[in-house]
Amino acid sequence: VQPLCAEQTFLHSHVGRGNRGSTADELANLPEFSIFDWSEVETYCEQRHVAAADPEKAGKWWHHGPHSEETELAFRRRAVRLKKWLGQLALQRAQLKLLLVSHGGIMQTAFGYHPNPPNCGFRVYDVEPGGSAQHVATGNWVVTDSLAEPAFAVHAVVRQPQKVSGQICYRLELAVGL
């Protein structure tokens, strides 16, 4: 289970409107989901600092970071990371065949699937280790954003309870040189 292939979390999305899903712990405890390995979700939450601003968010992978929703640019970067992750899997496992189940938004953004993918729609791609993808049926290469990772990331902005010299103070948690 890989959170990178989740739908976008823009404010107007189902996620942005409150349809938040279940944590990996909640899903792992359901018999019908016991066959899945949820460790990648836990690692993802730690790496993306999901609970940095609010410990109540621990395990809530759909935040994709310490903020409740993604920007369009952050979503596009996640789509690029997904393709790179898929490409790296091929290096780890020879002759890998993979079924990726995801929402339409990530298919549009990562693989140029236009117009909107229909329910249960599918396409076949060859993905290279660097994230380049080729649509097998047409032979066309997917045009990919060459988005660089940001120079820094804001993991938390937390308002402090006490003012200092009458000023509101915030605790910031940043990562520099990602």
Short mmCIF file of all heavy atoms in Angstrom, two decimals, residues 122-156:
data_model
loop_
_atom_site.label_atom_id
_atom_site.label_comp_id
_atom_site.label_asym_id
_atom_site.label_seq_id
_atom_site.Cartn_x
_atom_site.Cartn_y
_atom_site.Cartn_z
N PHE A 122 -8.27 1.58 -17.30
CA PHE A 122 -6.88 1.18 -17.09
C PHE A 122 -6.06 1.52 -18.32
O PHE A 122 -6.58 1.66 -19.42
CB PHE A 122 -6.77 -0.31 -16.75
CG PHE A 122 -7.06 -1.21 -17.91
CD1 PHE A 122 -6.02 -1.67 -18.73
CD2 PHE A 122 -8.35 -1.61 -18.21
CE1 PHE A 122 -6.28 -2.50 -19.79
CE2 PHE A 122 -8.61 -2.44 -19.27
CZ PHE A 122 -7.58 -2.89 -20.08
N ARG A 123 -4.78 1.62 -18.10
CA ARG A 123 -3.79 1.79 -19.16
C ARG A 123 -2.53 1.04 -18.72
O ARG A 123 -2.33 0.81 -17.53
CB ARG A 123 -3.45 3.26 -19.36
CG ARG A 123 -4.62 4.07 -19.89
CD ARG A 123 -4.21 4.94 -21.04
NE ARG A 123 -5.37 5.58 -21.62
CZ ARG A 123 -5.45 6.86 -21.89
NH1 ARG A 123 -4.43 7.65 -21.61
NH2 ARG A 123 -6.51 7.35 -22.46
N VAL A 124 -1.70 0.70 -19.69
CA VAL A 124 -0.47 -0.03 -19.39
C VAL A 124 0.72 0.87 -19.73
O VAL A 124 0.79 1.43 -20.84
CB VAL A 124 -0.41 -1.35 -20.20
CG1 VAL A 124 0.88 -2.09 -19.90
CG2 VAL A 124 -1.63 -2.21 -19.89
N TYR A 125 1.64 1.00 -18.79
CA TYR A 125 2.82 1.83 -18.96
C TYR A 125 4.07 1.04 -18.60
O TYR A 125 4.04 0.18 -17.72
CB TYR A 125 2.77 3.05 -18.02
CG TYR A 125 1.62 3.98 -18.31
CD1 TYR A 125 0.40 3.82 -17.66
CD2 TYR A 125 1.76 5.02 -19.22
CE1 TYR A 125 -0.66 4.68 -17.92
CE2 TYR A 125 0.71 5.87 -19.48
CZ TYR A 125 -0.50 5.70 -18.84
OH TYR A 125 -1.55 6.54 -19.10
N ASP A 126 5.15 1.36 -19.26
CA ASP A 126 6.48 0.94 -18.83
C ASP A 126 7.07 2.16 -18.14
O ASP A 126 7.07 3.26 -18.71
CB ASP A 126 7.36 0.54 -20.02
CG ASP A 126 7.01 -0.82 -20.57
OD1 ASP A 126 6.49 -1.65 -19.80
OD2 ASP A 126 7.27 -1.07 -21.76
N VAL A 127 7.55 1.97 -16.91
CA VAL A 127 8.11 3.09 -16.15
C VAL A 127 9.59 2.82 -15.90
O VAL A 127 9.97 1.76 -15.42
CB VAL A 127 7.36 3.27 -14.80
CG1 VAL A 127 7.90 4.47 -14.05
CG2 VAL A 127 5.86 3.43 -15.03
N GLU A 128 10.41 3.81 -16.25
CA GLU A 128 11.85 3.70 -16.06
C GLU A 128 12.24 4.15 -14.65
O GLU A 128 11.47 4.87 -14.00
CB GLU A 128 12.57 4.54 -17.12
CG GLU A 128 12.34 4.02 -18.52
CD GLU A 128 13.15 4.78 -19.56
OE1 GLU A 128 13.61 5.91 -19.28
OE2 GLU A 128 13.31 4.23 -20.66
N PRO A 129 13.43 3.77 -14.20
CA PRO A 129 13.85 4.12 -12.83
C PRO A 129 13.79 5.61 -12.50
O PRO A 129 13.47 5.98 -11.39
CB PRO A 129 15.30 3.61 -12.77
CG PRO A 129 15.31 2.47 -13.72
CD PRO A 129 14.40 2.88 -14.85
N GLY A 130 14.01 6.49 -13.47
CA GLY A 130 13.95 7.92 -13.21
C GLY A 130 12.54 8.48 -13.21
O GLY A 130 12.33 9.66 -12.95
N GLY A 131 11.55 7.64 -13.52
CA GLY A 131 10.16 8.06 -13.51
C GLY A 131 9.56 8.32 -14.88
O GLY A 131 8.37 8.59 -14.99
N SER A 132 10.36 8.23 -15.95
CA SER A 132 9.80 8.39 -17.29
C SER A 132 8.85 7.22 -17.55
O SER A 132 9.13 6.08 -17.19
CB SER A 132 10.91 8.39 -18.34
OG SER A 132 11.76 9.49 -18.14
N ALA A 133 7.72 7.53 -18.21
CA ALA A 133 6.72 6.49 -18.46
C ALA A 133 6.32 6.50 -19.93
O ALA A 133 6.12 7.55 -20.53
CB ALA A 133 5.49 6.72 -17.58
N GLN A 134 6.18 5.30 -20.49
CA GLN A 134 5.76 5.14 -21.87
C GLN A 134 4.45 4.38 -21.90
O GLN A 134 4.33 3.29 -21.31
CB GLN A 134 6.82 4.38 -22.67
CG GLN A 134 6.48 4.28 -24.14
CD GLN A 134 7.56 3.53 -24.92
OE1 GLN A 134 8.21 2.64 -24.39
NE2 GLN A 134 7.73 3.91 -26.17
N HIS A 135 3.46 4.95 -22.59
CA HIS A 135 2.17 4.28 -22.76
C HIS A 135 2.38 3.14 -23.76
O HIS A 135 2.73 3.38 -24.92
CB HIS A 135 1.12 5.28 -23.25
CG HIS A 135 -0.25 4.72 -23.36
ND1 HIS A 135 -1.06 4.95 -24.43
CD2 HIS A 135 -0.95 3.92 -22.52
CE1 HIS A 135 -2.21 4.34 -24.27
NE2 HIS A 135 -2.17 3.70 -23.12
N VAL A 136 2.20 1.91 -23.32
CA VAL A 136 2.54 0.74 -24.12
C VAL A 136 1.72 0.66 -25.39
O VAL A 136 2.26 0.37 -26.47
CB VAL A 136 2.41 -0.55 -23.27
CG1 VAL A 136 2.57 -1.79 -24.12
CG2 VAL A 136 3.42 -0.54 -22.13
N ALA A 137 0.43 0.92 -25.34
CA ALA A 137 -0.44 0.76 -26.51
C ALA A 137 -0.09 1.73 -27.64
O ALA A 137 -0.17 1.38 -28.81
CB ALA A 137 -1.90 0.92 -26.11
N THR A 138 0.30 2.96 -27.30
CA THR A 138 0.58 3.96 -28.33
C THR A 138 2.06 4.16 -28.58
O THR A 138 2.45 4.71 -29.61
CB THR A 138 -0.01 5.33 -27.93
OG1 THR A 138 0.65 5.80 -26.75
CG2 THR A 138 -1.51 5.23 -27.70
N GLY A 139 2.90 3.78 -27.61
CA GLY A 139 4.32 4.03 -27.71
C GLY A 139 4.70 5.45 -27.34
O GLY A 139 5.87 5.83 -27.39
N ASN A 140 3.72 6.26 -26.96
CA ASN A 140 3.98 7.65 -26.60
C ASN A 140 4.56 7.76 -25.19
O ASN A 140 4.12 7.05 -24.28
CB ASN A 140 2.70 8.48 -26.66
CG ASN A 140 2.15 8.60 -28.06
OD1 ASN A 140 2.89 8.52 -29.04
ND2 ASN A 140 0.85 8.78 -28.16
N TRP A 141 5.54 8.65 -25.06
CA TRP A 141 6.11 8.94 -23.74
C TRP A 141 5.25 9.97 -23.06
O TRP A 141 4.79 10.93 -23.69
CB TRP A 141 7.54 9.44 -23.86
CG TRP A 141 8.47 8.32 -24.24
CD1 TRP A 141 8.83 7.95 -25.49
CD2 TRP A 141 9.09 7.42 -23.34
NE1 TRP A 141 9.66 6.85 -25.44
CE2 TRP A 141 9.84 6.51 -24.12
CE3 TRP A 141 9.11 7.28 -21.95
CZ2 TRP A 141 10.59 5.49 -23.57
CZ3 TRP A 141 9.86 6.27 -21.41
CH2 TRP A 141 10.58 5.37 -22.20
N VAL A 142 5.00 9.80 -21.79
CA VAL A 142 4.21 10.74 -21.00
C VAL A 142 5.06 11.98 -20.76
O VAL A 142 6.21 11.89 -20.34
CB VAL A 142 3.80 10.11 -19.64
CG1 VAL A 142 3.08 11.11 -18.78
CG2 VAL A 142 2.97 8.87 -19.87
N VAL A 143 4.48 13.14 -21.06
CA VAL A 143 5.18 14.40 -20.79
C VAL A 143 5.18 14.60 -19.28
O VAL A 143 4.13 14.56 -18.64
CB VAL A 143 4.48 15.57 -21.50
CG1 VAL A 143 5.15 16.89 -21.15
CG2 VAL A 143 4.46 15.35 -22.99
N THR A 144 6.36 14.75 -18.74
CA THR A 144 6.51 14.82 -17.29
C THR A 144 6.98 16.19 -16.86
O THR A 144 7.86 16.78 -17.48
CB THR A 144 7.55 13.78 -16.82
OG1 THR A 144 7.12 12.49 -17.24
CG2 THR A 144 7.72 13.80 -15.32
N ASP A 145 6.38 16.68 -15.79
CA ASP A 145 6.90 17.90 -15.17
C ASP A 145 8.30 17.61 -14.67
O ASP A 145 8.54 16.58 -14.05
CB ASP A 145 6.04 18.30 -13.96
CG ASP A 145 4.68 18.86 -14.36
OD1 ASP A 145 4.60 19.46 -15.44
OD2 ASP A 145 3.73 18.69 -13.59
N SER A 146 9.20 18.51 -14.94
CA SER A 146 10.54 18.34 -14.37
C SER A 146 10.62 19.20 -13.12
O SER A 146 11.32 20.20 -13.06
CB SER A 146 11.62 18.75 -15.39
OG SER A 146 11.39 20.08 -15.80
N LEU A 147 9.83 18.81 -12.14
CA LEU A 147 9.73 19.58 -10.92
C LEU A 147 10.84 19.21 -9.95
O LEU A 147 10.98 18.05 -9.58
CB LEU A 147 8.38 19.33 -10.24
CG LEU A 147 7.15 19.70 -11.05
CD1 LEU A 147 5.91 19.19 -10.36
CD2 LEU A 147 7.09 21.20 -11.23
N ALA A 148 11.58 20.19 -9.55
CA ALA A 148 12.61 19.96 -8.54
C ALA A 148 11.94 19.95 -7.17
O ALA A 148 10.92 20.62 -6.96
CB ALA A 148 13.66 21.05 -8.60
N GLU A 149 12.50 19.19 -6.27
CA GLU A 149 12.00 19.24 -4.90
C GLU A 149 12.35 20.61 -4.33
O GLU A 149 13.37 21.20 -4.69
CB GLU A 149 12.63 18.13 -4.06
CG GLU A 149 12.12 16.74 -4.40
CD GLU A 149 10.65 16.53 -4.06
OE1 GLU A 149 10.16 17.10 -3.07
OE2 GLU A 149 9.99 15.80 -4.81
N PRO A 150 11.52 21.15 -3.46
CA PRO A 150 11.81 22.48 -2.89
C PRO A 150 13.09 22.46 -2.06
O PRO A 150 13.50 21.41 -1.56
CB PRO A 150 10.59 22.78 -2.03
CG PRO A 150 9.93 21.47 -1.80
CD PRO A 150 10.31 20.57 -2.93
N ALA A 151 13.71 23.63 -1.92
CA ALA A 151 14.95 23.75 -1.15
C ALA A 151 14.69 23.54 0.34
O ALA A 151 15.60 23.18 1.08
CB ALA A 151 15.60 25.10 -1.38
N PHE A 152 13.46 23.77 0.78
CA PHE A 152 13.12 23.54 2.17
C PHE A 152 11.66 23.14 2.25
O PHE A 152 10.89 23.34 1.32
CB PHE A 152 13.40 24.77 3.05
CG PHE A 152 12.47 25.93 2.78
CD1 PHE A 152 11.31 26.09 3.52
CD2 PHE A 152 12.76 26.85 1.78
CE1 PHE A 152 10.46 27.14 3.27
CE2 PHE A 152 11.91 27.91 1.53
CZ PHE A 152 10.75 28.05 2.27
N ALA A 153 11.28 22.55 3.38
CA ALA A 153 9.89 22.17 3.62
C ALA A 153 9.47 22.67 4.98
O ALA A 153 10.24 22.63 5.94
CB ALA A 153 9.75 20.65 3.56
N VAL A 154 8.25 23.16 5.05
CA VAL A 154 7.68 23.59 6.33
C VAL A 154 6.92 22.39 6.89
O VAL A 154 5.96 21.92 6.30
CB VAL A 154 6.72 24.79 6.14
CG1 VAL A 154 6.09 25.18 7.47
CG2 VAL A 154 7.45 25.95 5.50
N HIS A 155 7.38 21.88 8.03
CA HIS A 155 6.75 20.72 8.64
C HIS A 155 5.70 21.11 9.68
O HIS A 155 4.77 20.35 9.92
CB HIS A 155 7.78 19.79 9.28
CG HIS A 155 8.68 19.15 8.29
ND1 HIS A 155 8.21 18.44 7.21
CD2 HIS A 155 10.02 19.11 8.20
CE1 HIS A 155 9.22 18.00 6.50
NE2 HIS A 155 10.33 18.39 7.07
N ALA A 156 5.87 22.26 10.30
CA ALA A 156 4.89 22.66 11.31
C ALA A 156 4.96 24.16 11.55
O ALA A 156 6.04 24.76 11.55
CB ALA A 156 5.15 21.93 12.63
#
